[in-house]
């Protein structure tokens, strides 16, 4: 949480198996409160740090029902897709979004 607190934005890379990947005990990783990805997303959301979901591999954005309660707000973020066919355009869009969320506010 402390390291995430130093970030101006957090990018969450979401691939096809992101929601369903399992640990060594065959449990879905996102269901574990100790999962690092879940903990980092939770910390960013709690600290009101901009979270930008980025989908790859033709993955879909997770629905609220797919996520544990503490990171459910991730499903309400606008995701950016990175595809091989539109790589340059998609990366430009991601850069513009990062520029937008990282602009210093006038009250800083």
């Amino acid at each position: 949480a402390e390291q995430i607190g130093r970030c101006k934005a957090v990018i969450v890379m979401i691939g096809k198996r992101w929601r369903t990947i399992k640990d060594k005990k065959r449990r879905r990783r996102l269901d574990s409160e100790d999962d690092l990805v879940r903990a980092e997303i939770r910390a960013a959301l709690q600290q009101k740090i901009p979270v930008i979901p980025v989908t790859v591999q033709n993955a879909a954005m997770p629905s609220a029902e797919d996520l544990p309660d503490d990171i459910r707000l991730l499903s309400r973020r606008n995701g950016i897709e990175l595809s091989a066919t539109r790589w340059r355009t998609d990366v430009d869009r991601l850069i513009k979004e990062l520029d937008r969320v990282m602009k210093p506010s006038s009250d800083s």
Side-chain angles (χ1 to χ4, degrees), residues 50-69:
V51 176
I52 304 168
V54 175
T55 60
V56 296
Q57 305 168 326
N58 295 316
M61 278 291 295
S63 66
E65 296 78 31
D66 292 330
L67 300 171
D69 288 342

Side-chain angles (χ1 to χ4, degrees), residues 83-101:
S83 69
T85 56
R86 297 183 317 269
W87 181 258
R88 186 173 300 262
T89 301
D90 292 345
V91 170
D92 285 345
R93 186 170 163 224
L94 176 57
I95 291 168
K96 285 178 186 170
E97 181 64 9
L98 283 168
D99 284 344
R100 183 186 72 77
V101 301

